[in-house]
Amino acid sequence: MNSTLFLQSDVSNPYLIYKTMLQNNPVYWDESNKIWAIYSYEDCISILKNPQAEIPVVNQNNEQKLNQKALEILNNLTRLSNGIQHETSKEIAMLLFSKMKSVETTTIISQLIKDNLTENKIDWVNSVCKKLPVLVVLKSFGFEEKDSDFISDRIETLVKIMLPQKTEAQVKSINEISSAIFSIVEKQLSSLNFYESLIVKIHESNSLSPDEIKTISISNLIGLFIQSFDAGRGLLSNSLLQILDHKTFSNRTEIEKSVIETVRFDPPIHNTRRIATDDFYIGESQIKKDDLILVVLASANRDPEKFENTLDFDIERNSNNENLTFGIGGHMCLAKYFSIHLTTEALWFLFDNYKTIQLLENNIQYEPMINARLPKTIWISLQ
Ligand code: HEM
């Protein structure tokens, strides 16, 4: 039986599965999970650009019993919305993103390393990767240290709000923190000088009231923290592993090329989902209205029809940047260059400041997640 939905923690090499599926079943109906899985580059693009393939609803009719604030955040996130609601929330998210002030990444990373290095050893994942992207986003919106730490300490819990299915314990802890995070973000956003003009601008082009625009803005600023956590953590982790493995750390440019190739070769996000809003065909396969679709981005990135010598980690391949890890089409990630730049800065800081960086683990364990491949820990020594 072909497995389309598996936990990354259960599979030592998911790329072998993708290779087999690409060869034999690039568009595959998984009867046991009732979901289509799409493995080829061309077909993944056609789904992501198809207006009849929408983002599936998470938490229909609040079946998960989120409280009012948690529900408000979830229901306004651009990442999970469709149609006109997506247009407005995306515009707001992009406006917010464009207002980020540039911050000194190296100051934050050097402090994180200093705080966590014991006898020259550090767990890169828990000490740096889980903290740096969110702290950079928080600082670039001017959050005070106390508020930054409050949000950063709870973000791992809050990101579970995105899960299609949640446990009771996850719902309970999301409900416990949502209101406090919402208030902190509301306070900070109100103090920023661009906020009033953002509300006026959106109010002029939409039928939304200022209060509705405020709620969407607060939710999507929280959304930027949420989106940066898992994916940002994974890119920092996987890039370090690839760079150590291939010894491509001699200068900043080599590190940047390695990060871009890691995005293709060993991405943090492996798949995303859609639901068909009408019948349509991919090749000879008919997708029916209401069918669920798994778009396997990490498989598309290794499609030999698109990338030459696709199984090689090759930082000089010209097409590396054409990977699908950040998605494509209307829901494409707005932080592609930000993420690549942040990861490059962090890793260049590491290799520029330490002569010898050694991996202390030879069997990396991954989080039990279906959509993301995220190392649990990466112990390294720094000399
Ligand atoms: C670090 C690596 C990152 C990866 C691999 C990544 C990946 C993705 C992907 C695949 C999507 C599209 C999902 C879909 O179409 O189903 C997406 C959307 C999004 N990402 Fe990222 N992301 C990353 C970092 C970030 C960061 C740092 C931020 C914010 C600061 C961010 C903000 C967003 C937002 C707001 C969307 C939703 C866009 C929309 O709905 O129109 N991402 N990301």
Side-chain angles (χ1 to χ4, degrees), residues 102-117:
S102 112
V103 294
E104 271 295 328
T105 314
T106 47
T107 317
I108 306 177
I109 186 173
S110 69
Q111 190 63 45
L112 290 173
I113 293 177
K114 198 167 144 230
D115 292 348
N116 292 283
L117 196 64

Side-chain angles (χ1 to χ4, degrees), residues 108-118 121-133 135 152 233 236-237 376-380 382:
I108 306 177
I109 186 173
S110 69
Q111 190 63 45
L112 290 173
I113 293 177
K114 198 167 144 230
D115 292 348
N116 292 283
L117 196 64
T118 319
K121 293 187 187 119
I122 190 165
D123 171 9
W124 177 245
V125 175
N126 284 288
S127 306
V128 177
C129 308
K130 285 189 186 179
K131 304 239 156 78
L132 184 67
L135 285 178
S152 166
R233 156 196 175 177
L236 278 159
S237 302
K376 279 189 169 177
T377 61
I378 303 178
W379 280 97
I380 51 176
L382 302 177

Side-chain angles (χ1 to χ4, degrees), residues 48 55-56 77-81 86 89-90 93-94 97 100 133-134 137 141 220-221 223-236 263 267-274 295 297 324-336 338-340 342-343:
L48 293 173
I55 305 276
L77 293 176
T78 181
R79 169 71 184 81
L80 296 178
S81 55
H86 178 242
S89 54
K90 176 119 183 189
M94 288 180 76
F97 189 73
M100 282 169 64
V134 181
V137 180
F141 283 100
N220 277 288
L221 185 47
L224 294 186
F225 311 147
I226 291 174
Q227 291 293 127
S228 66
F229 180 72
D230 278 340
R233 156 196 175 177
L235 190 54
L236 278 159
V263 170
I269 304 297
H270 274 221
N271 57 64
T272 185
R273 295 184 193 212
R274 293 293 188 269
V295 186
L297 308 165
L324 294 188
T325 297
F326 292 92
I328 201 159
H331 275 274
M332 187 180 169
C333 182
L334 42 82
K336 177 173 176 176
F338 168 85
S339 304
I340 290 172
L342 173 63
T343 310

